[in-house]
Amino acid sequence: MKRTDRRQASIGLLRDYMAGRIDRRQLLKSAAAAGVLLPVLSIMRGASPAFAQDASPAAGGEAGSTIVVPADLRTDLAGATIAWMGTSSQDADLPFNEAAIAKFTEATGINVNLINGESETNLRLQAMRQQFAAQSSDIDVYQIDIIWPGVVAEHAVPLQDQLGAATDAMFPGIVEANTVDGDLIGIPWYTDAGLLFYRTDLLEKYGVEAPTTWSELEAAAQTIMEGEQAENPDFTGYVWQGKAYEGLTCNGLEWLVSQGGGTIIDVDRNVTVNNETAIAAMDRAATWVNGISPEGVTTYTEPETFNVWTAGNAAFARNWPYMYSASQESEATAGKVGVSPLPKGDGAEDTSAATLGGWQMFVSKYSENQEAAIEFVRFMTSPEYQTSYAIERAHLPTIPAVYDDPAVAAASEFIPQLKPVFEAAVGRPSAQTGDLYPEISTVFYQQLNQVLSGSKSAADAAASMESDMNAIFEDE
Ligand code: GLC
């Protein structure tokens, strides 16, 4: 087929799909049969701007073009207006979620104002707490981090009666994490787990295998970095989140668990972090700073990691799954990115560990439009929305069945492949610490950040962590 014919065939299929004449499965089957699976997928992902420009908006290519609105949404609330403190204006997911809102409004008549949410999770919690303290009805729907149900439960509209049935199809552990004193206070929207990203082209160029242990990662990062720096002085080996904030707790937990150093606090709320293996794991990470990682990594959150990575300036990165779709949108990394579980320690017993993250939809009890807010949450957590969020933005569904959708595999193979890794993700100690969790985590990441920047030994930091965490429990 000529290029123009292929384009026509792809657009025709996407039109049929958008108009509901064929479903997603039929779309991918027909696209494969016509030899146009790749262009169709890249349009669906918005990954091929040149091609997408040729397609009319209705034919796809625009962010959110694969979103299908569930048929059973209420239409009797038309005219209501709600506000969602949601996607940050800096976020690469913004166009997708704006498109999702537009489709929701078209189907239900409910208007949704997207209020810019902070991209850093700690700051987002702070902003929510201010709203709650004022019992403000300005925001109807929030997105809440998986570590917050115990912190924000008292401000929630319990959702079990209206949305409980939809959670039967979701991962039970995540639903459980959103249940506080028998009330379902958040509906799982997407889940998260820490992953290793690597540059497939550079592994090949330097003849190194994708690392499975931290030692292998250190060696591979060093080799590639030394080679690339000859041409590109900005090139670094490994980027991750080292700033003193919640993301460092996630990274630190992975270092500890993957080398046998425990989970900071055990299930019975004993502080376990002051042990030799955990101390060695923290010391090890400190050697990366100004070595295989840039000195500035101690100030990195996810967006800084993302920027270095998508500019093509790192061999390896630790981030959440969303970075996969973003990598396909940057010329420096498109088609050159592999994804695997994070490395583990060298011990025979050591296993890779991914911190469990993820976000839920939450309705504020101060909302004056609770019915419309609940309808929006129904849409945003539906299998239809979650399927598209996985296809276009590589966000992990909270519904196990969505992992088996062939379109998800076609867009991001790692999602079904790593499902067991995601299911085994390690929770931060938020369940056993409840509303004390933010304070506990603050102690951990502040002390750990000092170790990384060389101002404190890991042994001293671990001792401080232990005494400060115990003091928090004693003050309760
Ligand atoms: C991601 C995770 C969230 C975590 C945050 C840390 O957004 O989904 O659970 O707290 O990163 O930066």
Side-chain angles (χ1 to χ4, degrees), residues 233-276:
D234 293 335
F235 197 88
T236 186
Y238 183 42
V239 285
W240 37 277
Q241 297 80 48
K243 180 179 169 177
Y245 82 118
E246 185 59 31
L248 178 55
T249 297
C250 300
N251 283 247
L253 180 66
E254 286 157 354
W255 304 333
L256 265 56
V257 174
S258 65
Q259 299 177 78
T263 55
I264 308 169
I265 291 179
D266 70 12
V267 284
D268 301 320
R269 231 169 85 157
N270 302 305
V271 179
T272 62
V273 70
N274 191 8
N275 72 78
E276 267 173 37

Short mmCIF file of all heavy atoms in Angstrom, two decimals, residues 233-276:
data_model
loop_
_atom_site.label_atom_id
_atom_site.label_comp_id
_atom_site.label_asym_id
_atom_site.label_seq_id
_atom_site.Cartn_x
_atom_site.Cartn_y
_atom_site.Cartn_z
N PRO A 233 28.56 16.69 27.44
CA PRO A 233 28.96 16.91 28.84
C PRO A 233 27.78 16.87 29.81
O PRO A 233 27.97 16.66 31.01
CB PRO A 233 29.60 18.30 28.83
CG PRO A 233 29.38 18.88 27.48
CD PRO A 233 28.88 17.83 26.55
N ASP A 234 26.54 17.05 29.30
CA ASP A 234 25.37 17.02 30.19
C ASP A 234 24.91 15.60 30.50
O ASP A 234 23.97 15.40 31.27
CB ASP A 234 24.18 17.75 29.54
CG ASP A 234 24.46 19.23 29.41
OD1 ASP A 234 25.27 19.75 30.21
OD2 ASP A 234 23.88 19.86 28.51
N PHE A 235 25.54 14.62 29.86
CA PHE A 235 25.04 13.26 30.00
C PHE A 235 25.36 12.69 31.38
O PHE A 235 26.43 12.89 31.93
CB PHE A 235 25.65 12.35 28.93
CG PHE A 235 24.89 11.07 28.77
CD1 PHE A 235 23.82 10.97 27.90
CD2 PHE A 235 25.23 9.95 29.54
CE1 PHE A 235 23.10 9.79 27.78
CE2 PHE A 235 24.51 8.77 29.43
CZ PHE A 235 23.45 8.69 28.55
N THR A 236 24.39 11.96 31.95
CA THR A 236 24.59 11.33 33.26
C THR A 236 24.14 9.88 33.21
O THR A 236 23.48 9.46 32.27
CB THR A 236 23.86 12.15 34.36
OG1 THR A 236 24.19 11.60 35.63
CG2 THR A 236 22.35 12.10 34.18
N GLY A 237 24.50 9.13 34.27
CA GLY A 237 24.20 7.70 34.26
C GLY A 237 22.79 7.36 34.73
O GLY A 237 22.05 6.63 34.06
N TYR A 238 22.42 7.91 35.90
CA TYR A 238 21.17 7.45 36.53
C TYR A 238 20.48 8.63 37.20
O TYR A 238 21.09 9.31 38.02
CB TYR A 238 21.52 6.37 37.56
CG TYR A 238 20.33 5.73 38.26
CD1 TYR A 238 19.19 5.38 37.56
CD2 TYR A 238 20.39 5.45 39.63
CE1 TYR A 238 18.11 4.79 38.22
CE2 TYR A 238 19.31 4.84 40.29
CZ TYR A 238 18.17 4.52 39.57
OH TYR A 238 17.11 3.94 40.20
N VAL A 239 19.21 8.85 36.88
CA VAL A 239 18.44 9.92 37.54
C VAL A 239 17.24 9.34 38.29
O VAL A 239 16.66 8.34 37.88
CB VAL A 239 17.98 11.02 36.53
CG1 VAL A 239 19.17 11.89 36.14
CG2 VAL A 239 17.32 10.43 35.28
N TRP A 240 16.91 9.99 39.40
CA TRP A 240 15.85 9.51 40.29
C TRP A 240 15.39 10.68 41.14
O TRP A 240 15.75 11.82 40.84
CB TRP A 240 16.36 8.33 41.14
CG TRP A 240 17.80 8.46 41.56
CD1 TRP A 240 18.91 8.13 40.80
CD2 TRP A 240 18.32 8.99 42.81
NE1 TRP A 240 20.07 8.42 41.50
CE2 TRP A 240 19.74 8.95 42.73
CE3 TRP A 240 17.73 9.48 43.96
CZ2 TRP A 240 20.57 9.38 43.78
CZ3 TRP A 240 18.55 9.91 45.02
CH2 TRP A 240 19.94 9.85 44.92
N GLN A 241 14.61 10.46 42.19
CA GLN A 241 14.03 11.56 42.96
C GLN A 241 14.70 11.65 44.33
O GLN A 241 14.42 10.85 45.21
CB GLN A 241 12.51 11.36 43.13
CG GLN A 241 11.73 11.37 41.80
CD GLN A 241 11.80 10.06 41.05
OE1 GLN A 241 11.59 9.00 41.65
NE2 GLN A 241 12.10 10.08 39.75
N GLY A 242 15.59 12.64 44.48
CA GLY A 242 16.37 12.73 45.72
C GLY A 242 16.05 13.94 46.59
O GLY A 242 16.67 14.14 47.63
N LYS A 243 15.10 14.77 46.15
CA LYS A 243 14.74 15.94 46.95
C LYS A 243 14.10 15.50 48.28
O LYS A 243 13.54 14.40 48.35
CB LYS A 243 13.73 16.79 46.15
CG LYS A 243 13.28 18.04 46.86
CD LYS A 243 12.32 18.86 46.03
CE LYS A 243 11.68 19.94 46.90
NZ LYS A 243 10.80 20.84 46.16
N ALA A 244 14.14 16.36 49.28
CA ALA A 244 13.48 16.05 50.55
C ALA A 244 11.98 16.24 50.40
O ALA A 244 11.44 17.32 50.66
CB ALA A 244 14.04 16.93 51.67
N TYR A 245 11.28 15.21 49.93
CA TYR A 245 9.82 15.23 49.76
C TYR A 245 9.35 13.79 49.63
O TYR A 245 10.17 12.86 49.65
CB TYR A 245 9.42 16.07 48.53
CG TYR A 245 9.50 15.34 47.21
CD1 TYR A 245 8.37 15.13 46.42
CD2 TYR A 245 10.71 14.80 46.77
CE1 TYR A 245 8.44 14.42 45.23
CE2 TYR A 245 10.78 14.10 45.58
CZ TYR A 245 9.65 13.92 44.81
OH TYR A 245 9.73 13.22 43.64
N GLU A 246 8.06 13.58 49.48
CA GLU A 246 7.48 12.23 49.49
C GLU A 246 8.12 11.28 48.46
O GLU A 246 8.26 10.09 48.71
CB GLU A 246 5.97 12.33 49.26
CG GLU A 246 5.21 11.02 49.37
CD GLU A 246 5.36 10.36 50.73
OE1 GLU A 246 5.51 11.08 51.75
OE2 GLU A 246 5.33 9.12 50.79
N GLY A 247 8.49 11.81 47.32
CA GLY A 247 9.09 10.94 46.28
C GLY A 247 10.38 10.28 46.77
O GLY A 247 10.71 9.16 46.35
N LEU A 248 11.12 10.95 47.65
CA LEU A 248 12.35 10.32 48.18
C LEU A 248 11.99 9.18 49.13
O LEU A 248 12.71 8.18 49.18
CB LEU A 248 13.24 11.37 48.86
CG LEU A 248 14.53 10.84 49.51
CD1 LEU A 248 15.40 10.06 48.53
CD2 LEU A 248 15.33 11.99 50.13
N THR A 249 10.90 9.30 49.83
CA THR A 249 10.47 8.16 50.65
C THR A 249 10.21 6.95 49.75
O THR A 249 10.58 5.82 50.09
CB THR A 249 9.20 8.53 51.46
OG1 THR A 249 9.52 9.58 52.37
CG2 THR A 249 8.67 7.34 52.24
N CYS A 250 9.62 7.19 48.58
CA CYS A 250 9.34 6.09 47.65
C CYS A 250 10.64 5.45 47.16
O CYS A 250 10.80 4.23 47.16
CB CYS A 250 8.54 6.59 46.45
SG CYS A 250 6.95 7.29 46.89
N ASN A 251 11.61 6.29 46.75
CA ASN A 251 12.90 5.77 46.28
C ASN A 251 13.62 5.03 47.41
O ASN A 251 14.13 3.93 47.23
CB ASN A 251 13.78 6.92 45.78
CG ASN A 251 13.41 7.44 44.40
OD1 ASN A 251 14.15 7.30 43.44
ND2 ASN A 251 12.23 8.03 44.28
N GLY A 252 13.64 5.65 48.59
CA GLY A 252 14.35 5.07 49.72
C GLY A 252 13.77 3.72 50.14
O GLY A 252 14.51 2.77 50.42
N LEU A 253 12.46 3.64 50.14
CA LEU A 253 11.82 2.36 50.49
C LEU A 253 12.27 1.26 49.52
O LEU A 253 12.56 0.12 49.92
CB LEU A 253 10.29 2.52 50.47
CG LEU A 253 9.49 1.28 50.83
CD1 LEU A 253 9.71 0.88 52.29
CD2 LEU A 253 7.98 1.51 50.59
N GLU A 254 12.37 1.60 48.25
CA GLU A 254 12.82 0.61 47.24
C GLU A 254 14.26 0.17 47.52
O GLU A 254 14.58 -1.02 47.42
CB GLU A 254 12.69 1.21 45.84
CG GLU A 254 11.23 1.28 45.39
CD GLU A 254 10.95 2.31 44.30
OE1 GLU A 254 11.86 3.10 43.94
OE2 GLU A 254 9.80 2.34 43.81
N TRP A 255 15.13 1.12 47.87
CA TRP A 255 16.52 0.75 48.16
C TRP A 255 16.57 -0.20 49.36
O TRP A 255 17.29 -1.20 49.35
CB TRP A 255 17.37 1.99 48.49
CG TRP A 255 17.36 3.05 47.44
CD1 TRP A 255 17.16 2.87 46.09
CD2 TRP A 255 17.57 4.46 47.62
NE1 TRP A 255 17.22 4.08 45.44
CE2 TRP A 255 17.48 5.08 46.34
CE3 TRP A 255 17.84 5.26 48.73
CZ2 TRP A 255 17.64 6.46 46.16
CZ3 TRP A 255 18.00 6.63 48.54
CH2 TRP A 255 17.90 7.22 47.27
N LEU A 256 15.79 0.12 50.39
CA LEU A 256 15.82 -0.70 51.60
C LEU A 256 15.26 -2.10 51.34
O LEU A 256 15.91 -3.11 51.62
CB LEU A 256 14.99 -0.03 52.71
CG LEU A 256 15.72 0.84 53.74
CD1 LEU A 256 16.52 1.94 53.07
CD2 LEU A 256 14.76 1.43 54.75
N VAL A 257 14.07 -2.15 50.78
CA VAL A 257 13.40 -3.44 50.62
C VAL A 257 14.18 -4.34 49.66
O VAL A 257 14.33 -5.54 49.90
CB VAL A 257 11.94 -3.25 50.14
CG1 VAL A 257 11.28 -4.58 49.83
CG2 VAL A 257 11.13 -2.49 51.21
N SER A 258 14.73 -3.78 48.59
CA SER A 258 15.40 -4.61 47.58
C SER A 258 16.74 -5.15 48.07
O SER A 258 17.36 -5.98 47.41
CB SER A 258 15.61 -3.80 46.30
OG SER A 258 16.51 -2.72 46.55
N GLN A 259 17.22 -4.64 49.24
CA GLN A 259 18.50 -5.14 49.76
C GLN A 259 18.31 -5.75 51.15
O GLN A 259 19.27 -5.91 51.91
CB GLN A 259 19.53 -4.00 49.77
CG GLN A 259 19.75 -3.48 48.33
CD GLN A 259 20.70 -2.29 48.23
OE1 GLN A 259 21.92 -2.47 48.29
NE2 GLN A 259 20.17 -1.10 48.07
N GLY A 260 17.06 -6.06 51.47
CA GLY A 260 16.80 -6.75 52.74
C GLY A 260 16.81 -5.86 53.97
O GLY A 260 16.98 -6.33 55.10
N GLY A 261 16.58 -4.55 53.79
CA GLY A 261 16.67 -3.62 54.93
C GLY A 261 15.34 -3.26 55.56
O GLY A 261 15.26 -2.36 56.40
N GLY A 262 14.26 -3.96 55.18
CA GLY A 262 12.96 -3.73 55.84
C GLY A 262 12.18 -2.56 55.26
O GLY A 262 12.59 -1.92 54.29
N THR A 263 11.04 -2.29 55.89
CA THR A 263 10.06 -1.34 55.35
C THR A 263 9.91 -0.07 56.21
O THR A 263 8.83 0.50 56.27
CB THR A 263 8.68 -2.02 55.21
OG1 THR A 263 8.34 -2.54 56.50
CG2 THR A 263 8.67 -3.12 54.18
N ILE A 264 10.96 0.34 56.88
CA ILE A 264 11.01 1.55 57.73
C ILE A 264 10.25 1.30 59.05
O ILE A 264 10.78 1.47 60.14
CB ILE A 264 10.45 2.81 57.03
CG1 ILE A 264 11.16 3.00 55.66
CG2 ILE A 264 10.63 4.05 57.92
CD1 ILE A 264 10.50 4.06 54.77
N ILE A 265 8.97 0.92 58.90
CA ILE A 265 8.11 0.61 60.06
C ILE A 265 7.40 -0.69 59.70
O ILE A 265 6.93 -0.83 58.57
CB ILE A 265 7.10 1.76 60.26
CG1 ILE A 265 7.84 3.01 60.74
CG2 ILE A 265 5.98 1.37 61.23
CD1 ILE A 265 6.96 4.21 60.95
N ASP A 266 7.34 -1.62 60.61
CA ASP A 266 6.70 -2.89 60.25
C ASP A 266 5.17 -2.82 60.46
O ASP A 266 4.64 -1.79 60.87
CB ASP A 266 7.34 -4.07 61.00
CG ASP A 266 7.03 -4.08 62.50
OD1 ASP A 266 6.13 -3.33 62.94
OD2 ASP A 266 7.68 -4.85 63.23
N VAL A 267 4.49 -3.92 60.15
CA VAL A 267 3.02 -3.90 60.19
C VAL A 267 2.47 -3.64 61.59
O VAL A 267 1.35 -3.15 61.75
CB VAL A 267 2.39 -5.21 59.65
CG1 VAL A 267 2.46 -5.26 58.15
CG2 VAL A 267 3.04 -6.43 60.28
N ASP A 268 3.29 -3.96 62.61
CA ASP A 268 2.83 -3.70 63.99
C ASP A 268 3.26 -2.33 64.50
O ASP A 268 3.18 -2.05 65.69
CB ASP A 268 3.39 -4.77 64.94
CG ASP A 268 2.94 -6.16 64.52
OD1 ASP A 268 1.76 -6.29 64.12
OD2 ASP A 268 3.77 -7.10 64.54
N ARG A 269 3.74 -1.50 63.59
CA ARG A 269 4.13 -0.12 63.90
C ARG A 269 5.43 -0.01 64.70
O ARG A 269 5.67 0.98 65.38
CB ARG A 269 2.99 0.61 64.63
CG ARG A 269 2.70 1.94 63.96
CD ARG A 269 1.44 2.55 64.46
NE ARG A 269 1.62 3.33 65.66
CZ ARG A 269 0.81 4.31 66.06
NH1 ARG A 269 -0.26 4.63 65.32
NH2 ARG A 269 1.01 4.97 67.16
N ASN A 270 6.27 -1.06 64.62
CA ASN A 270 7.60 -0.92 65.22
C ASN A 270 8.52 -0.25 64.21
O ASN A 270 8.52 -0.61 63.03
CB ASN A 270 8.20 -2.30 65.54
CG ASN A 270 7.31 -3.08 66.47
OD1 ASN A 270 6.96 -2.60 67.56
ND2 ASN A 270 6.89 -4.27 66.04
N VAL A 271 9.29 0.70 64.68
CA VAL A 271 10.25 1.37 63.79
C VAL A 271 11.43 0.43 63.57
O VAL A 271 12.11 0.05 64.52
CB VAL A 271 10.72 2.70 64.41
CG1 VAL A 271 11.74 3.38 63.51
CG2 VAL A 271 9.52 3.62 64.66
N THR A 272 11.66 0.03 62.32
CA THR A 272 12.71 -0.96 62.03
C THR A 272 13.88 -0.38 61.24
O THR A 272 14.81 -1.08 60.89
CB THR A 272 12.13 -2.13 61.21
OG1 THR A 272 11.65 -1.60 59.95
CG2 THR A 272 11.00 -2.83 61.92
N VAL A 273 13.79 0.91 60.92
CA VAL A 273 14.72 1.48 59.94
C VAL A 273 16.18 1.52 60.42
O VAL A 273 17.10 1.53 59.60
CB VAL A 273 14.24 2.90 59.53
CG1 VAL A 273 14.39 3.91 60.66
CG2 VAL A 273 14.94 3.38 58.27
N ASN A 274 16.38 1.51 61.75
CA ASN A 274 17.76 1.63 62.24
C ASN A 274 18.43 0.25 62.28
O ASN A 274 18.70 -0.30 63.34
CB ASN A 274 17.74 2.28 63.64
CG ASN A 274 19.12 2.68 64.11
OD1 ASN A 274 20.08 2.61 63.33
ND2 ASN A 274 19.22 3.11 65.35
N ASN A 275 18.68 -0.30 61.11
CA ASN A 275 19.37 -1.60 61.04
C ASN A 275 20.51 -1.51 60.03
O ASN A 275 20.49 -0.65 59.14
CB ASN A 275 18.38 -2.72 60.69
CG ASN A 275 17.91 -2.67 59.24
OD1 ASN A 275 18.61 -3.07 58.31
ND2 ASN A 275 16.69 -2.13 59.03
N GLU A 276 21.48 -2.40 60.17
CA GLU A 276 22.71 -2.29 59.37
C GLU A 276 22.48 -2.37 57.87
O GLU A 276 23.15 -1.69 57.09
CB GLU A 276 23.68 -3.40 59.76
CG GLU A 276 24.64 -2.96 60.84
CD GLU A 276 25.49 -4.08 61.36
OE1 GLU A 276 25.90 -4.95 60.55
OE2 GLU A 276 25.74 -4.09 62.59
#
